[in-house]
Amino acid sequence: MPDAVRHVYFLSDGTGITAETLGSTLLTQFPKSRFYRTTVPFISTVAKARSVVREIDQVALRGEAPLVFSTAVGEEIRNELATCNGVLVDLIGVHVQLLEEALHVKASHQPGQAHGLGNALRYQSRMMAVEYAMEHDDGQSLRALEKAEVILIAPSRCGKTPSTMYLALQHGVYAANFPLVDEDFGHDVLPEPLRPFQAKCFGLTSNPMRLSQVRTERRPGSDYASLRQCGIELRNAERLYVTHDIPHVNSASMSVEEISAVILERMGLRH
Amino acid sequence: MPDAVRHVYFLSDGTGITAETLGSTLLTQFPKSRFYRTTVPFISTVAKARSVVREIDQVALRGEAPLVFSTAVGEEIRNELATCNGVLVDLIGVHVQLLEEALHVKASHQPGQAHGLGNALRYQSRMMAVEYAMEHDDGQSLRALEKAEVILIAPSRCGKTPSTMYLALQHGVYAANFPLVDEDFGHDVLPEPLRPFQAKCFGLTSNPMRLSQVRTERRPGSDYASLRQCGIELRNAERLYVTHDIPHVNSASMSVEEISAVILERMGLRH
């Protein structure tokens, strides 16, 4: 029954983020299959592991064996999970020996600190980047733009805000953003607040149809959301990027993760 | 030379997020080793793969073989990467066969859409959650609190804002947050705006020392940042949580990823 919904478990002794991330990536290799996903984080005791195994075994009784992606590293917990009647995909264990050999040291087998505070300085700088991004969203504050590592510029609703947040939260990048409006176009110069920072600017564009759709959700029937107005703003924005040699990307069919990865790459911002 | 800095590459035909996430998780198993990390995303052509291989081989000439974590799925690109003089850790390939057998279908071997738009509805709801979180940060808007799935409450600087953002951006959870101030304490009732939504409230606490340290960065020498004031607010906040049976966690030594995972778990919010 390849068409039935298959139960999938993401198990972890930490937050579950790694198990979900790699597990989901693997599942995208099977685009026609349908999955029902459950994440169980913080499996820190054998008792909790046992209760998860019981749940998986119950599901297994009712259909095909669930897929079980695990990043648990503690030996007792791994042994317990290994008894389940699911298809166990051990995301960590399979690579540890290779790495031990390559690094000439033994693995710690300590439960995942992968998404803990880790390097305190790096963590703090991520949190400061989030704060900075909140304060500098949508051009609300033009103070301290010189602290920005990148300034996203674009017409309204091209994805500036979520991309800025993602860059800050995941990568600790100081990102500001600045909305381009009609008054910013048709001159030979960049909008005044951006002029000292041209080298930090990164532009977003979109497709008129897509932008009109997004704007319509916000203000249905408005001139702002009209295909005509969206087309004008996008053309003008693109002209501005080209004139001032500002790197840019069409975000219409990209996720914030993809937009951010492109920005990091093009602006040389990987820390 | 286990003490030398080891070069690590995260290679991907997509954003590189999965390679970085699992690769970094694996490296946390070797806490005493030091790593110099390079991410190369969007390896979409054999030519680009070849140029990465050349870089890795150059590094290999100067010291120990770099560790190379790859999530590339295209066969030609994988074959090219496999020729490098690094320790290749193929994060995808090793599990695909097991999953093919379990799912009774062949993997697509299409380059990673893991962090693309994916499910458009789900993606859109994440972006709407980010917008909601921005509008409802720090109690700035009490409109539409009924739309919140969770309302984080805490004294200033306990981690409400970045946790809210993380919940929205990564999990598409509608999260608002509300700062607890002196006036909110000492009554038998919750602050007025929260009263209709008690069941959605989740409290954060911290340690007085830690909170004082964080507040000092913002306003050095202020009463606001004093150990005494921090202690009072935290005691009062905790009393309020307990009195009103509001689930809460001490965020002092937790990352936003961990705080968010706890909130999802305790509030039953995994979508």
Side-chain angles (χ1 to χ4, degrees), chain A residues 152 158-160 162-164 166-167 202-205 248-267 270, chain B residues 15 17 42 115-117 123 127:
Chain A
L152 298 192
C158 286
K160 289 187 302 294
S163 303
T164 305
Y166 192 88
L167 285 168
F202 189 98
L204 299 180
T205 61
H248 54 280
V249 73
N250 187 323
S251 65
S253 57
M254 292 171 80
S255 68
V256 283
E257 285 82 356
E258 291 171 320
I259 297 168
S260 301
V262 168
I263 293 170
L264 293 175
E265 189 74 350
R266 301 271 293 275
M267 304 297 276
R270 290 192 184 270
Chain B
T15 60
I17 294 170
F42 305 123
H115 301 282
L117 285 178
Y123 183 78
M127 294 307 108

Side-chain angles (χ1 to χ4, degrees), chain A residues 91-107, chain B residues 6 8 22-30 33 35 66-69 87-89 91:
Chain A
L91 299 173
I92 298 287
V94 68
H95 302 298
V96 162
Q97 199 187 337
L98 177 62
L99 290 174
E100 286 181 336
E101 283 163 17
L103 291 166
H104 323 300
V105 285
K106 286 277 169 201
Chain B
R6 193 69 169 263
V8 176
L22 185 65
S24 299
T25 298
L26 286 164
L27 294 181
T28 62
Q29 286 294 302
F30 302 92
S33 302
F35 304 105
L67 307 181
V68 181
F69 297 97
V87 178
L88 187 65
V89 183
L91 300 172

Side-chain angles (χ1 to χ4, degrees), chain A residues 112-270:
Chain A
Q113 274 305 297
H115 301 283
L117 284 178
N119 178 327
L121 264 181
R122 185 176 136 66
Y123 182 78
Q124 196 191 355
S125 85
R126 275 174 64 205
M127 295 307 107
M128 286 166 65
V130 171
E131 200 168 308
Y132 182 87
M134 300 284 294
E135 282 167 13
H136 294 81
D137 182 48
D138 218 19
Q140 25 171 322
S141 166
L142 301 172
R143 279 184 310 112
L145 269 194
E146 72 278 3
K147 274 180 82 178
E149 296 175 272
V150 63
I151 304 170
L152 298 192
I153 64 177
S156 166
R157 314 300 291 171
C158 286
K160 289 187 302 294
T161 295
S163 303
T164 305
M165 276 304 143
Y166 192 88
L167 285 168
L169 196 48
Q170 294 292 342
H171 296 282
V173 167
Y174 276 64
N177 68 67
F178 184 90
L180 295 176
V181 296
D182 283 340
E183 294 77 61
D184 296 320
F185 301 128
H187 318 293
D188 287 338
V189 290
L190 276 179
E192 204 266 323
L194 299 177
R195 267 174 242 165
F197 309 113
Q198 176 166 350
K200 293 176 179 181
C201 290
F202 189 98
L204 299 180
T205 61
S206 185
N207 299 335
M209 283 290 280
R210 172 80 189 124
L211 186 59
S212 171
Q213 191 185 2
V214 176
R215 288 185 173 185
T216 295
E217 278 154 27
R218 199 166 179 93
R219 292 198 222 147
S222 62
D223 181 50
Y224 164 80
S226 70
L227 198 55
R228 182 183 155 280
Q229 174 65 18
C230 291
I232 293 172
E233 290 184 39
L234 290 171
R235 270 196 307 280
N236 281 329
E238 190 147 1
R239 192 172 304 147
L240 183 141
Y241 305 150
V242 172
T243 306
H244 297 284
D245 215 10
I246 290 170
H248 54 280
V249 73
N250 187 323
S251 65
S253 57
M254 292 171 80
S255 68
V256 283
E257 285 82 356
E258 291 171 320
I259 297 168
S260 301
V262 168
I263 293 170
L264 293 175
E265 189 74 350
R266 301 271 293 275
M267 304 297 276
L269 284 177
R270 290 192 184 270

Side-chain angles (χ1 to χ4, degrees), chain A residues 1-2 6 15 17-18 20-22 24-31 33 35 37 39-42 48 64 67 69 71 73 87-92 94-96 98-100 102-117 123-124 126-128 130-131 133-135 137 140 157 161-162 165-166 169-171 217-218 252-259 261-262 265 270-271, chain B residues 1-2 6 15 17-18 20-22 24-31 33 35 37 39-42 48 64 67 69 71 73 87-92 94-96 98-100 102-117 123-124 126-128 130-131 133-135 137 140 157 161-162 165-166 169-171 217-218 252-259 261-262 265 270-271:
Chain A
M1 295 187 301
R6 193 67 170 263
T15 59
I17 293 170
T18 305
E20 283 182 337
T21 304
L22 185 64
S24 299
T25 298
L26 286 164
L27 295 181
T28 62
Q29 287 294 302
F30 302 93
S33 303
F35 304 105
R37 297 154 200 248
T39 301
V40 187
F42 304 123
K48 187 156 181 192
E64 285 204 271
L67 307 182
F69 296 97
T71 56
V73 293
V87 178
L88 186 65
V89 183
D90 179 351
L91 299 173
I92 298 287
V94 68
H95 302 298
V96 162
L98 177 62
L99 290 174
E100 286 181 336
L103 291 166
H104 323 300
V105 285
K106 286 277 169 201
S108 72
H109 293 286
Q110 290 305 303
Q113 274 305 297
H115 301 283
L117 284 178
Y123 182 78
Q124 196 191 355
R126 275 174 64 205
M127 295 307 107
M128 286 166 65
V130 171
E131 200 168 308
M134 300 284 294
E135 282 167 13
D137 182 48
Q140 25 171 322
R157 314 300 291 171
T161 295
M165 276 304 143
Y166 192 88
L169 196 48
Q170 294 292 342
H171 296 282
E217 278 154 27
R218 199 166 179 93
S253 57
M254 292 171 80
S255 68
V256 283
E257 285 82 356
E258 291 171 320
I259 297 168
V262 168
E265 189 74 350
R270 290 192 184 270
H271 290 172
Chain B
M1 294 189 303
R6 193 69 169 263
T15 60
I17 294 170
T18 305
E20 282 182 339
T21 304
L22 185 65
S24 299
T25 298
L26 286 164
L27 294 181
T28 62
Q29 286 294 302
F30 302 92
S33 302
F35 304 105
R37 299 154 200 247
T39 301
V40 187
F42 305 123
K48 188 157 178 190
E64 287 204 90
L67 307 181
F69 297 97
T71 55
V73 292
V87 178
L88 187 65
V89 183
D90 179 351
L91 300 172
I92 297 287
V94 70
H95 302 299
V96 162
L98 176 63
L99 290 174
E100 285 181 337
L103 291 166
H104 321 300
V105 282
K106 285 278 169 199
S108 73
H109 293 286
Q110 290 305 302
Q113 274 304 298
H115 301 282
L117 285 178
Y123 183 78
Q124 195 191 357
R126 276 175 63 204
M127 294 307 108
M128 285 166 64
V130 171
E131 201 170 307
M134 299 284 295
E135 281 167 13
D137 183 48
Q140 11 168 341
R157 316 298 292 170
T161 294
M165 277 301 142
Y166 192 87
L169 196 48
Q170 295 291 343
H171 296 282
E217 278 153 29
R218 201 170 177 88
S253 57
M254 293 171 81
S255 68
V256 283
E257 285 82 357
E258 291 171 322
I259 297 169
V262 168
E265 190 75 351
R270 290 193 184 268
H271 290 175

Side-chain angles (χ1 to χ4, degrees), chain A residues 4-17:
Chain A
V5 173
R6 193 67 170 263
H7 281 258
V8 176
Y9 283 84
F10 303 109
L11 309 184
S12 172
D13 42 18
T15 59
I17 293 170

